[in-house]
Every structure is written in C-alpha cells, then in structure tokens.
Amino acid sequence: MQSIVVEFFLHFIFQANAASGMAVHDDCKLRFLELKAKRTHRFIVFKIEEKQKQVIVEKVGEPAQSYEDFTASLPADECRYAVYDFDFVTAENCQKSKIFFIAWSPDTSRVRSKMIYASSKDRFKRELDGIQVELQATDPTEMGMDVIRSRAN
C-alpha cells in the first residue's frame, strides 16, 4: 500500500515538473510593465492555462480599486499568481509604493494545481522584473492588510 502512495506521489511530482515549462504570454509582461512604469493598474491576476501550457492575464484592476477588490478577485478554491501595487506612507511621512508578488494557493485547491503553480512560480516571477516583496498565501489571513503593511516596511 505504501509503495502505491509513493508511486502516485512521484507521478504527480514528475507531471508538475514537466509542466513547469510554462510559457509566459507576452500580455503578462506588457501589463506588468504598465503597472510598474505607468501605474495604470492597481493589480494583475495571472492564471495558468494548462491546456495551452502558458501563464495568461486573468484580471486587471484599475488604479482606483482597493485591496479588498483585489482579494475578492482571487478564487476561493483555485491557485493564482498576482501582483499588487501597494501605496503607503512611511514613519517619516514619505509616500512610497511596493510591488508585491503573491502566490495564491488555497488549501482547497486541487493537489495537481498546487504542484504546477509551485513548480512554475520562480520561472514566472523572473519574467516580472521589479517585484519587491513576495508572499505565499494559502488562506486570506496570510495576505491580510496587516501582513501587507508589515512586509512593506
């Protein structure tokens, strides 16, 4: 019985590693550059299209949208990557912003999906030059506004 479980697990790892060669759609890089340089977006949610073997843009948030709008755009039971442009004021009263990369992997998502997202994350993140803070979240409390504020400083 134990060997069947090990074999099953190794099969999933092999499939996830094979799938980690996900292509990154050009629109992902373009939207990220717009967020970083022009500040035309507050956030971007990215999705892996398994059949196409690529990461695509799923949703783009307008500059006026809130952090609550952003968190509401993440599915409760599916993995996603996201970037969020967080504006804040420092203790010295300086206006700043930091770009967060969030790997959203809820406990309720499929094991295969979690493995594909985990194995593709570093390669995808390298495509987005300018990420300042990275978060891994499996439930909303791990990426609450208090966490964002503490990681920004």
Side-chain angles (χ1 to χ4, degrees), residues 20-78:
S20 69
M22 292 289 168
V24 177
H25 194 280
D26 288 342
D27 197 38
C28 296
K29 295 178 232 177
L30 176 67
R31 298 288 179 208
F32 180 75
L33 284 173
E34 290 171 349
L35 178 142
K36 184 174 96 169
K38 299 178 185 174
R39 302 186 56 110
T40 53
H41 313 301
R42 175 62 57 198
F43 63 86
I44 308 166
V45 177
F46 304 97
K47 176 182 181 178
I48 291 178
E49 282 292 339
E50 284 188 54
K51 288 185 176 115
Q52 299 168 359
K53 294 197 181 314
Q54 70 176 343
V55 182
I56 62 165
V57 172
E58 182 179 55
K59 182 171 176 59
V60 176
E62 298 300 316
Q65 288 191 279
S66 69
Y67 190 71
E68 290 73 28
D69 295 327
F70 163 63
T71 57
S73 70
L74 295 172
D77 57 355
E78 293 179 33

Coordinates of all heavy atoms in Angstrom, one line a residue, residues 20-78:
S20 N 6.2 22.5 -15.5 CA 6.8 23.8 -15.1 C 7.4 24.6 -16.2 O 7.8 25.7 -16.0 CB 7.8 23.6 -13.9 OG 8.9 22.9 -14.4
G21 N 7.5 24.0 -17.4 CA 8.0 24.7 -18.5 C 6.9 25.6 -19.1 O 6.8 25.6 -20.4
M22 N 6.1 26.2 -18.3 CA 5.0 27.0 -18.8 C 5.6 28.3 -19.5 O 6.5 28.9 -19.0 CB 4.2 27.5 -17.6 CG 3.4 26.5 -16.9 SD 2.0 25.9 -17.9 CE 1.6 24.4 -17.0
A23 N 5.0 28.5 -20.7 CA 5.3 29.7 -21.4 C 4.6 30.9 -20.7 O 3.6 30.7 -20.0 CB 4.8 29.6 -22.8
V24 N 5.1 32.1 -20.9 CA 4.5 33.3 -20.3 C 4.0 34.1 -21.5 O 4.8 34.6 -22.3 CB 5.6 34.1 -19.5 CG1 4.9 35.4 -18.9 CG2 6.1 33.2 -18.3
H25 N 2.7 34.3 -21.5 CA 2.1 35.1 -22.6 C 2.7 36.5 -22.6 O 2.9 37.1 -21.5 CB 0.6 35.1 -22.5 CG -0.1 35.6 -23.7 ND1 -0.2 37.0 -23.9 CD2 -0.7 35.0 -24.7 CE1 -0.9 37.1 -25.1 NE2 -1.2 35.9 -25.5
D26 N 3.0 37.1 -23.7 CA 3.5 38.5 -23.8 C 2.7 39.5 -23.1 O 3.2 40.5 -22.5 CB 3.7 38.9 -25.3 CG 4.8 38.2 -25.9 OD1 5.7 37.6 -25.2 OD2 4.9 38.2 -27.2
D27 N 1.3 39.3 -23.0 CA 0.4 40.2 -22.4 C 0.8 40.3 -20.9 O 0.6 41.4 -20.3 CB -1.0 39.8 -22.6 CG -2.0 40.9 -22.3 OD1 -1.7 42.0 -22.6 OD2 -3.1 40.5 -21.7
C28 N 1.3 39.2 -20.3 CA 1.6 39.3 -18.8 C 2.7 40.3 -18.6 O 2.6 41.1 -17.7 CB 2.1 37.9 -18.4 SG 0.9 36.6 -18.4
K29 N 3.8 40.3 -19.4 CA 4.9 41.2 -19.3 C 4.5 42.6 -19.6 O 4.8 43.6 -18.9 CB 6.0 40.8 -20.2 CG 6.6 39.4 -19.8 CD 7.8 39.1 -20.7 CE 7.5 37.7 -21.2 NZ 8.5 37.2 -22.2
L30 N 3.6 42.8 -20.6 CA 3.2 44.1 -21.0 C 2.3 44.7 -19.9 O 2.6 45.9 -19.5 CB 2.3 44.0 -22.3 CG 1.7 45.3 -22.7 CD1 2.7 46.3 -23.2 CD2 0.7 45.0 -23.9
R31 N 1.4 44.0 -19.3 CA 0.5 44.5 -18.3 C 1.4 44.9 -17.0 O 1.1 45.8 -16.3 CB -0.6 43.6 -17.9 CG -1.5 43.3 -19.0 CD -2.4 44.5 -19.3 NE -3.3 44.1 -20.4 CZ -3.8 45.0 -21.2 NH1 -3.5 46.3 -21.0 NH2 -4.6 44.6 -22.2
F32 N 2.4 44.0 -16.7 CA 3.2 44.3 -15.6 C 4.0 45.5 -15.8 O 4.1 46.3 -14.8 CB 4.1 43.1 -15.3 CG 5.0 43.3 -14.1 CD1 4.5 43.2 -12.8 CD2 6.4 43.7 -14.2 CE1 5.3 43.5 -11.7 CE2 7.2 43.9 -13.2 CZ 6.6 43.8 -11.9
L33 N 4.5 45.8 -17.0 CA 5.3 47.0 -17.2 C 4.4 48.2 -17.1 O 4.8 49.3 -16.6 CB 5.9 46.9 -18.6 CG 7.1 46.1 -18.8 CD1 7.6 46.0 -20.2 CD2 8.3 46.6 -17.9
E34 N 3.1 48.1 -17.5 CA 2.2 49.2 -17.4 C 1.9 49.5 -15.9 O 1.9 50.6 -15.5 CB 0.9 48.9 -18.0 CG 0.9 48.8 -19.6 CD -0.3 48.3 -20.2 OE1 -1.2 47.7 -19.5 OE2 -0.4 48.4 -21.4
L35 N 1.8 48.4 -15.1 CA 1.6 48.6 -13.6 C 2.9 49.3 -13.0 O 2.8 50.2 -12.3 CB 1.4 47.3 -13.0 CG 1.2 47.3 -11.4 CD1 0.1 46.3 -11.0 CD2 2.5 46.9 -10.7
K36 N 4.0 48.8 -13.4 CA 5.3 49.3 -12.8 C 5.7 50.7 -13.2 O 6.0 51.5 -12.4 CB 6.4 48.3 -13.1 CG 7.7 48.6 -12.5 CD 8.8 47.5 -12.8 CE 9.6 47.9 -14.0 NZ 10.7 47.0 -14.2
A37 N 5.6 50.9 -14.5 CA 6.1 52.2 -15.0 C 5.1 53.3 -15.1 O 5.3 54.4 -14.8 CB 6.8 51.9 -16.4
K38 N 3.9 52.9 -15.6 CA 2.8 53.9 -15.8 C 1.8 54.0 -14.7 O 1.0 54.9 -14.7 CB 2.1 53.6 -17.1 CG 3.0 53.7 -18.3 CD 2.3 53.3 -19.6 CE 3.2 53.2 -20.8 NZ 2.4 52.8 -22.0
R39 N 1.8 52.9 -13.8 CA 0.8 52.9 -12.7 C -0.6 52.9 -13.3 O -1.5 53.6 -12.6 CB 1.1 53.9 -11.7 CG 2.5 53.8 -11.1 CD 2.8 54.7 -10.0 NE 1.8 54.6 -8.9 CZ 2.1 54.0 -7.8 NH1 3.3 53.6 -7.4 NH2 1.1 53.9 -6.9
T40 N -0.9 52.3 -14.4 CA -2.2 52.2 -15.0 C -3.1 51.1 -14.4 O -4.2 51.0 -14.7 CB -2.1 52.1 -16.5 OG1 -1.3 51.0 -16.8 CG2 -1.5 53.3 -17.2
H41 N -2.5 50.3 -13.5 CA -3.2 49.2 -12.9 C -2.9 49.1 -11.4 O -1.7 49.4 -11.0 CB -2.9 47.8 -13.5 CG -2.8 47.8 -15.0 ND1 -4.0 48.1 -15.8 CD2 -1.9 47.5 -15.9 CE1 -3.6 48.0 -17.1 NE2 -2.4 47.7 -17.1
R42 N -3.8 48.7 -10.6 CA -3.6 48.5 -9.2 C -3.1 47.1 -8.9 O -2.2 46.9 -8.1 CB -4.8 48.8 -8.4 CG -4.7 48.5 -6.9 CD -3.7 49.3 -6.2 NE -4.0 50.7 -6.3 CZ -3.1 51.7 -6.1 NH1 -1.9 51.4 -5.6 NH2 -3.4 53.0 -6.3
F43 N -3.6 46.1 -9.7 CA -3.3 44.8 -9.5 C -3.5 44.0 -10.8 O -4.2 44.4 -11.7 CB -4.0 44.1 -8.4 CG -5.5 44.0 -8.6 CD1 -6.1 42.9 -9.3 CD2 -6.4 45.0 -8.0 CE1 -7.5 42.9 -9.5 CE2 -7.7 44.9 -8.2 CZ -8.3 43.8 -8.9
I44 N -2.8 42.8 -10.9 CA -3.0 41.9 -12.0 C -3.1 40.5 -11.4 O -2.3 40.1 -10.6 CB -1.8 42.0 -13.0 CG1 -1.5 43.4 -13.4 CG2 -2.1 41.1 -14.2 CD1 -0.2 43.6 -14.2
V45 N -4.1 39.7 -11.9 CA -4.2 38.3 -11.5 C -3.8 37.5 -12.7 O -4.3 37.7 -13.8 CB -5.6 38.0 -11.0 CG1 -5.8 36.5 -10.7 CG2 -6.0 38.9 -9.8
F46 N -2.9 36.5 -12.5 CA -2.5 35.7 -13.6 C -3.0 34.2 -13.3 O -3.1 33.8 -12.2 CB -0.9 35.6 -13.6 CG -0.3 37.0 -13.8 CD1 0.2 37.7 -12.7 CD2 -0.2 37.6 -15.0 CE1 0.7 38.9 -12.8 CE2 0.4 38.8 -15.2 CZ 0.9 39.5 -14.1
K47 N -3.2 33.5 -14.4 CA -3.7 32.2 -14.4 C -2.9 31.3 -15.3 O -2.5 31.7 -16.4 CB -5.2 32.2 -14.8 CG -5.9 30.8 -14.9 CD -7.3 30.9 -15.4 CE -7.9 29.6 -15.4 NZ -9.3 29.6 -15.9
I48 N -2.7 30.1 -14.9 CA -2.0 29.1 -15.7 C -3.1 28.4 -16.5 O -4.0 27.8 -15.9 CB -1.2 28.1 -14.9 CG1 0.0 28.7 -14.3 CG2 -0.8 26.9 -15.8 CD1 0.9 27.8 -13.5
E49 N -3.0 28.4 -17.8 CA -3.8 27.7 -18.7 C -3.1 26.4 -19.0 O -2.2 26.3 -19.8 CB -4.1 28.4 -20.0 CG -5.1 29.5 -19.9 CD -6.5 29.0 -19.7 OE1 -6.8 27.8 -20.0 OE2 -7.4 29.8 -19.2
E50 N -3.5 25.3 -18.4 CA -2.8 24.0 -18.5 C -2.8 23.5 -19.9 O -1.8 23.0 -20.4 CB -3.4 23.0 -17.6 CG -3.0 23.2 -16.1 CD -3.5 22.0 -15.2 OE1 -3.1 20.9 -15.6 OE2 -4.1 22.3 -14.2
K51 N -4.0 23.6 -20.6 CA -4.0 23.0 -22.0 C -3.1 23.8 -22.9 O -2.5 23.2 -23.8 CB -5.5 23.1 -22.5 CG -6.4 22.1 -21.8 CD -7.8 22.1 -22.4 CE -8.6 21.0 -21.8 NZ -9.7 21.5 -21.1
Q52 N -3.0 25.1 -22.8 CA -2.1 25.9 -23.6 C -0.7 25.9 -23.1 O 0.2 26.5 -23.7 CB -2.7 27.3 -23.7 CG -4.0 27.4 -24.3 CD -4.7 28.8 -24.2 OE1 -4.1 29.7 -23.6 NE2 -5.9 28.9 -24.7
K53 N -0.5 25.4 -21.9 CA 0.8 25.4 -21.2 C 1.4 26.8 -21.1 O 2.6 27.0 -21.5 CB 1.8 24.4 -21.9 CG 1.4 23.0 -21.7 CD 2.5 22.1 -22.0 CE 2.2 20.6 -21.9 NZ 1.5 20.2 -20.8
Q54 N 0.6 27.8 -20.7 CA 1.1 29.1 -20.5 C 0.4 29.9 -19.5 O -0.7 29.6 -19.1 CB 1.1 29.9 -21.9 CG -0.3 30.3 -22.3 CD -0.3 31.1 -23.6 OE1 0.8 31.7 -24.0 NE2 -1.4 31.2 -24.3
V55 N 1.1 30.9 -19.0 CA 0.5 31.8 -18.0 C -0.1 33.0 -18.7 O 0.5 33.6 -19.6 CB 1.6 32.4 -17.0 CG1 1.0 33.3 -15.9 CG2 2.4 31.2 -16.3
I56 N -1.4 33.3 -18.4 CA -2.1 34.4 -19.0 C -2.6 35.4 -18.0 O -2.6 35.1 -16.8 CB -3.3 33.9 -19.9 CG1 -4.3 33.2 -18.9 CG2 -2.8 33.0 -21.0 CD1 -5.6 33.0 -19.6
V57 N -3.0 36.6 -18.5 CA -3.6 37.6 -17.6 C -5.1 37.2 -17.5 O -5.8 37.0 -18.5 CB -3.5 39.0 -18.2 CG1 -4.3 40.0 -17.4 CG2 -2.0 39.4 -18.2
E58 N -5.5 37.1 -16.2 CA -7.0 36.8 -16.0 C -7.8 38.0 -15.7 O -8.9 38.2 -16.1 CB -7.1 35.8 -14.8 CG -8.6 35.4 -14.6 CD -8.7 34.4 -13.5 OE1 -8.2 34.6 -12.4 OE2 -9.3 33.3 -13.8
K59 N -7.2 38.9 -14.9 CA -7.9 40.1 -14.5 C -6.9 41.3 -14.2 O -5.8 41.0 -13.7 CB -8.7 39.9 -13.2 CG -9.6 41.0 -12.7 CD -10.5 40.6 -11.6 CE -11.3 41.7 -11.0 NZ -12.1 42.5 -11.9
V60 N -7.3 42.5 -14.5 CA -6.5 43.7 -14.3 C -7.4 44.7 -13.5 O -8.5 44.9 -13.8 CB -6.1 44.3 -15.6 CG1 -5.3 45.6 -15.4 CG2 -5.3 43.4 -16.5
G61 N -6.8 45.2 -12.4 CA -7.5 46.1 -11.6 C -7.2 47.5 -11.9 O -6.0 47.9 -12.1
E62 N -8.2 48.4 -11.9 CA -8.0 49.8 -12.2 C -7.3 50.5 -11.0 O -7.4 50.0 -9.9 CB -9.4 50.5 -12.4 CG -10.1 49.9 -13.6 CD -9.4 50.1 -14.9 OE1 -8.8 51.2 -15.1 OE2 -9.3 49.2 -15.7
P63 N -6.6 51.6 -11.3 CA -5.8 52.3 -10.2 C -6.6 52.6 -9.0 O -6.1 52.6 -7.8 CB -5.2 53.5 -10.9 CG -5.2 53.2 -12.3 CD -6.4 52.3 -12.5
A64 N -7.9 52.9 -9.1 CA -8.8 53.3 -8.0 C -9.3 52.2 -7.2 O -9.8 52.4 -6.1 CB -9.9 54.2 -8.5
Q65 N -9.1 50.9 -7.7 CA -9.6 49.8 -6.9 C -8.8 49.5 -5.6 O -7.6 49.8 -5.5 CB -9.6 48.5 -7.8 CG -10.7 48.6 -8.9 CD -10.9 47.3 -9.6 OE1 -10.1 47.0 -10.5 NE2 -11.9 46.6 -9.2
S66 N -9.5 49.0 -4.7 CA -8.9 48.8 -3.3 C -8.3 47.4 -3.2 O -8.5 46.5 -4.0 CB -10.1 48.9 -2.3 OG -11.0 47.8 -2.4
Y67 N -7.7 47.2 -2.0 CA -7.1 45.9 -1.7 C -8.2 44.9 -1.6 O -8.0 43.7 -1.9 CB -6.2 46.0 -0.4 CG -5.4 44.7 -0.2 CD1 -4.3 44.4 -1.0 CD2 -5.8 43.9 0.8 CE1 -3.6 43.3 -0.8 CE2 -5.0 42.7 1.0 CZ -4.0 42.4 0.2 OH -3.2 41.3 0.4
E68 N -9.3 45.3 -1.1 CA -10.5 44.4 -0.9 C -11.0 43.9 -2.3 O -11.3 42.8 -2.5 CB -11.6 45.0 -0.1 CG -11.3 45.2 1.3 CD -10.3 46.3 1.6 OE1 -10.2 47.3 0.9 OE2 -9.6 46.2 2.6
D69 N -11.0 44.8 -3.3 CA -11.3 44.5 -4.6 C -10.4 43.4 -5.2 O -10.8 42.5 -5.8 CB -11.3 45.7 -5.6 CG -12.3 46.7 -5.2 OD1 -13.4 46.4 -4.8 OD2 -12.1 47.9 -5.4
F70 N -9.1 43.6 -4.9 CA -8.1 42.7 -5.3 C -8.3 41.3 -4.7 O -8.3 40.3 -5.4 CB -6.7 43.2 -5.0 CG -5.6 42.2 -5.0 CD1 -5.2 41.5 -6.2 CD2 -4.9 41.8 -3.8 CE1 -4.3 40.6 -6.2 CE2 -3.9 40.9 -3.8 CZ -3.6 40.2 -5.0
T71 N -8.4 41.2 -3.4 CA -8.6 39.9 -2.7 C -9.8 39.2 -3.2 O -9.9 38.0 -3.3 CB -8.5 40.0 -1.2 OG1 -9.5 40.9 -0.7 CG2 -7.1 40.5 -0.7
A72 N -10.9 40.0 -3.5 CA -12.1 39.4 -3.9 C -12.0 38.8 -5.3 O -12.8 38.0 -5.7 CB -13.3 40.5 -3.9
S73 N -11.0 39.3 -6.1 CA -10.8 38.8 -7.4 C -10.1 37.4 -7.5 O -10.0 36.8 -8.5 CB -10.1 39.8 -8.3 OG -8.8 39.9 -7.9
L74 N -9.6 37.0 -6.3 CA -8.9 35.7 -6.3 C -9.9 34.6 -6.0 O -10.7 34.7 -5.0 CB -7.8 35.7 -5.2 CG -6.6 36.7 -5.4 CD1 -5.7 36.7 -4.2 CD2 -5.8 36.3 -6.6
P75 N -9.9 33.5 -6.7 CA -10.9 32.5 -6.5 C -10.6 31.7 -5.2 O -9.4 31.6 -4.8 CB -10.7 31.5 -7.7 CG -9.4 31.8 -8.2 CD -9.0 33.2 -7.9
A76 N -11.7 31.3 -4.5 CA -11.5 30.7 -3.1 C -10.9 29.4 -3.2 O -10.3 28.9 -2.2 CB -12.9 30.6 -2.5
D77 N -11.0 28.7 -4.3 CA -10.5 27.3 -4.4 C -9.6 27.0 -5.6 O -9.5 25.8 -6.0 CB -11.7 26.3 -4.3 CG -12.7 26.5 -5.4 OD1 -12.5 27.5 -6.2 OD2 -13.7 25.8 -5.5
E78 N -9.0 28.0 -6.1 CA -8.1 27.8 -7.3 C -6.8 28.6 -7.1 O -6.9 29.7 -6.5 CB -8.8 28.2 -8.6 CG -9.9 27.3 -9.0 CD -10.5 27.8 -10.3 OE1 -9.8 28.3 -11.2 OE2 -11.7 27.7 -10.5

